Amino acid sequence: MNTEKKRYIHYLTAAITAILLVVLDQITKYLAVIHLKDQPPYVILQNIFQLEYLENRGAAFGLFQDKRIFFYLSVILISVIVVWFYSRVPMDRKYMPLRICAVLLIAGAYGNFIDRIRLNYVIDFFYFKLIDFPIFNVADIYVTVSSFLIILLIFFYYKEDDLERILHR
């Protein structure tokens, strides 16, 4: 298979995967509305973890409350950076983890973006009560996991030459 066809298949697979991940996020939020809204929290582990409906008009820890323009611009900026980055990542198997992280990052950004456009808030419902962690959702998991993995990959997996190959392509 030639390089252009291989790249096209990777891009198509990435786009379809991102769409499916956004759909999964939106389904979980729909279920949260149906089963958790206007209900007491659903305790899974007493004083540790529960499902609790929250309409979040800001970011984690209540930052940027009602700053919709900020969030819209953030999604545009994230999209541009991720698409640029993805287009530069070699199609070698070695770089697959970075491509997966890019897909997760974009899916998380758009999962919450859809809520902000449609509802003017993000639906959150996972709550770690033990540590009083901010209530979050599936899209937040995509963003957090991918960001954490990118940091680990850059510091512990890829060598300087690998990163140079991406940046100076």
Side-chain angles (χ1 to χ4, degrees):
M1 183 182 312
N2 70 29
T3 306
E4 286 304 310
K5 188 172 182 177
K6 186 177 177 182
R7 186 168 284 280
Y8 173 78
I9 289 170
H10 276 278
Y11 287 172
L12 183 61
T13 302
I16 291 168
T17 302
I19 290 167
L20 290 174
L21 289 170
V22 169
V23 168
L24 175 64
D25 170 68
Q26 291 297 302
I27 289 170
T28 62
K29 290 172 179 173
Y30 171 77
L31 292 172
V33 170
I34 299 284
H35 298 288
L36 300 173
K37 187 174 183 177
D38 300 323
Q39 300 295 320
Y42 181 80
V43 177
I44 295 174
L45 295 170
Q46 187 67 39
N47 295 320
I48 297 175
F49 181 71
Q50 61 193 37
L51 301 177
E52 182 174 332
Y53 182 84
L54 175 72
E55 295 175 356
N56 185 353
R57 287 171 172 73
F61 305 104
L63 299 172
F64 305 110
Q65 288 292 314
D66 294 315
K67 304 290 185 199
R68 291 191 329 231
I69 299 299
F70 168 79
F71 290 112
Y72 298 159
L73 293 175
S74 296
V75 169
I76 292 167
L77 180 62
I78 288 167
S79 298
V80 168
I81 291 169
V82 170
V83 168
W84 173 83
F85 178 78
Y86 196 94
S87 71
R88 300 187 66 79
V89 173
M91 291 294 118
D92 304 350
R93 172 173 245 138
K94 179 176 188 170
Y95 296 95
M96 178 70 78
L98 283 177
R99 290 195 302 274
I100 291 169
C101 288
V103 169
L104 284 169
L105 193 59
I106 208 86
Y110 278 91
N112 285 337
F113 183 66
I114 289 169
D115 283 11
R116 290 186 196 286
I117 293 289
R118 194 170 61 88
L119 305 167
N120 291 327
Y121 57 83
V122 173
I123 297 170
D124 289 333
F125 52 91
F126 292 127
Y127 179 45
F128 279 102
K129 189 173 186 172
L130 178 68
I131 57 174
D132 195 26
F133 195 79
I135 300 174
F136 59 99
N137 61 45
V138 173
D140 297 335
I141 294 170
Y142 299 157
V143 171
T144 303
V145 168
S146 62
S147 298
F148 181 72
L149 286 175
I150 288 170
I151 291 167
L152 286 178
L153 289 167
I154 288 172
F155 283 114
F156 299 109
Y157 180 68
Y158 295 109
K159 309 276 188 278
E160 192 172 327
D161 292 346
D162 298 325
L163 298 175
E164 287 288 324
R165 186 172 173 202
I166 295 168
L167 297 174
H168 298 293
R169 197 166 165 250

